Amino acid sequence: FSKSRVVWDSSQSSGINAEYGEVQAGGGISNRDTLNSALKVEKEVKKGNKGPWTTEEQKLLEESLKKYPASQGPGRWDDIAAHVGTRSKKDCMKRYKDLVEQIKAKKAKQ
């Protein structure tokens, strides 16, 4: 998506201001629907990427599994998904389970 200059009313969320330097306080709102739609699409892509795992995603998953041990508790998978960034908690859990099954199957053949 291409960033377009948006004039942002000061009563709107300042979180957008920090994330997108193109947003300015004051005046009215233009292209608000476009910005909101783009943000929704970006969020969906990050949370629902259902294509094959990339090498970078796999690397990030492996890093996060080391960084957030099972002893961390139930919030572990939320942290792992946040670290991967492009996959949901459910995606990360499924990938881990699939990898464990592949390793077990490989060891059983030996």
Side-chain angles (χ1 to χ4, degrees):
F1 111 90
S2 66
K3 293 181 189 176
S4 60
R5 185 159 292 276
V6 177
V7 180
W8 201 255
D9 182 66
S10 60
S11 67
Q12 300 298 323
S13 170
S14 62
I16 292 286
N17 293 349
E19 188 171 344
Y20 293 92
E22 298 292 324
V23 179
Q24 298 177 337
I29 298 174
S30 65
N31 294 332
R32 182 177 182 182
D33 290 338
T34 303
L35 177 61
N36 286 337
S37 295
L39 292 173
K40 285 178 187 176
V41 168
E42 185 177 80
K43 184 177 180 180
E44 290 302 313
V45 167
K46 283 184 177 180
K47 293 295 182 184
N49 184 351
K50 301 297 181 192
W53 280 68
T54 65
T55 304
E56 182 64 21
E57 287 173 325
Q58 180 66 33
K59 178 182 163 196
L60 290 168
L61 177 64
E62 291 171 12
E63 286 174 3
S64 61
L65 288 168
K66 292 176 188 174
K67 185 175 182 178
Y68 305 108
S71 60
Q72 181 178 331
R76 175 187 193 213
W77 289 104
D78 292 315
D79 292 338
I80 289 171
H83 185 83
V84 172
T86 55
R87 298 290 179 152
S88 68
K89 172 182 171 179
K90 185 177 177 180
D91 292 336
C92 293
M93 291 172 75
K94 183 179 181 332
R95 178 68 171 181
Y96 175 75
K97 182 181 174 184
D98 292 346
L99 292 172
V100 169
E101 289 175 10
Q102 287 176 12
I103 291 167
K104 285 182 182 179
K106 194 174 186 179
K107 284 184 179 181
K109 288 183 180 179
Q110 294 176 352

